[in-house]
Amino acid sequence: MDKLLVALDVDSGARAMELATALRGLVGGVKVGSRLFTSEGPALVRGLVEAGSRVFLDLKFHDIPNTVAQAVDAAVGTGAWMINVHASGGVPMMEAAARAGRDAAARLGRPAPLLIAVTVLTSMDQPTLHATGVDRPIIDHVVALARLAQAAGLQGVVASPQETAAIRQACGDGFAIVTPGIRGAAAGSRKDDQARTMGPAEAVRAGASFIVVGRPIIAAPEPRGAAEAIVRELNQTQ
Ligand code: C5P
């Protein structure tokens, strides 16, 4: 099931490899975030790729265009399939990232990575956003940043389930929307720290191209069984 990405939010490379091995062939890819990457480094990403996993390298680059371009170049070198940056870094930064992704892939003879943008962190509420100088409603800011990402040549955005439909409407069918915050139905009833959630099939119906699921799979007694239940739910909606 290509649409299901599993967040490898674990503290060791060995456990990450074990989970990826257990889930290979069943899920569409695995997500390596800043904690695992900071402790295990690019060798882990290369190892996952060599073992046959598609890797979403979730490092949310946000810096001056030249630095982000170099980081994207290095990320492509690890074999990552999906890479992200912060849309609030602006169009020149995102354009530099897109160019670097294409150039690095061409140089290495690989397919270009999917480059996507984080719009507004889902941990931000209206007062927190306002304090950073942004006065418009969060959803308007999210959609505006998604449009900027698309204009800069990025292939998609990360968005909460509640934002998916508005982004899909603004950016059209070809734009990838990657949605975490998946709970309920086959993803189980434990919310953890996720506040605004949707079930797997519900999120896809709302327009998600990919869903990211962490704890409902990686903290389950049988991670593969938990992933299979989600895949069954997704297959029933196709
Ligand atoms: O365990 P859980 O399913 O909540 O994991 C969701 C994953 O998606 C985590 O890696 C989390 O950091 C990430 N994420 C998120 N909300 C965002 C962006 C990323 O939950 N807005």
Side-chain angles (χ1 to χ4, degrees):
M1 165 47 71
D2 267 11
K3 288 179 186 297
L4 174 59
L5 309 181
V6 178
L8 297 179
D9 293 330
V10 294
D11 58 5
S12 82
R15 181 64 187 145
M17 279 302 247
E18 208 173 87
L19 280 166
T21 303
L23 297 168
R24 200 159 295 128
L26 176 65
V27 305
V30 293
K31 183 171 87 70
V32 173
S34 48
R35 170 199 186 193
L36 188 58
F37 187 81
T38 302
S39 50
E40 298 290 342
L44 172 67
V45 180
R46 285 197 195 94
L48 288 165
V49 172
E50 276 161 23
S53 292
R54 291 200 303 194
V55 176
F56 169 17
L57 191 56
D58 179 21
L59 298 180
K60 303 183 179 71
F61 298 133
H62 189 179
D63 209 315
I64 58 171
N66 184 57
T67 303
V68 167
Q70 289 169 339
V72 168
D73 186 291
V76 172
T78 67
W81 153 76
M82 184 185 279
I83 299 167
N84 59 3
V85 301
H86 269 282
S88 53
V91 168
M93 189 204 84
M94 289 191 279
E95 284 175 343
R99 207 175 313 118
R102 282 192 303 270
D103 290 353
R107 194 180 69 238
L108 298 167
R110 297 197 177 140
L114 272 178
L115 205 62
I116 62 170
V118 176
T119 55
V120 178
L121 294 170
T122 47
S123 54
M124 303 274 273
D125 56 12
Q126 198 69 55
T128 319
L129 186 66
H130 179 78
T132 68
V134 177
D135 290 328
R136 57 187 165 188
I138 288 186
I139 186 66
D140 295 354
H141 195 49
V142 164
V143 169
L145 288 171
R147 286 185 197 273
L148 285 187
Q150 190 173 37
L154 266 57
Q155 285 86 31
V157 288
V158 183
S160 84
Q162 280 68 25
E163 296 157 355
T164 308
I167 296 169
R168 178 62 66 220
Q169 204 185 356
C171 298
D173 283 343
F175 199 59
I177 303 178
V178 181
T179 306
I182 303 298
R183 291 294 187 277
S189 57
R190 262 190 69 146
K191 288 239 177 187
D192 302 307
D193 53 355
Q194 297 284 13
R196 291 168 293 139
T197 62
M198 272 190 198
E202 195 186 2
V204 169
R205 277 197 301 272
S209 319
F210 299 97
I211 58 169
V212 176
V213 182
R215 286 160 292 182
I217 293 176
I218 65 168
E222 285 288 342
R224 189 173 173 98
E228 278 167 351
I230 294 175
V231 168
R232 269 196 302 278
E233 183 186 315
L234 291 174
N235 282 335
Q236 277 162 12
T237 65
Q238 287 198 325

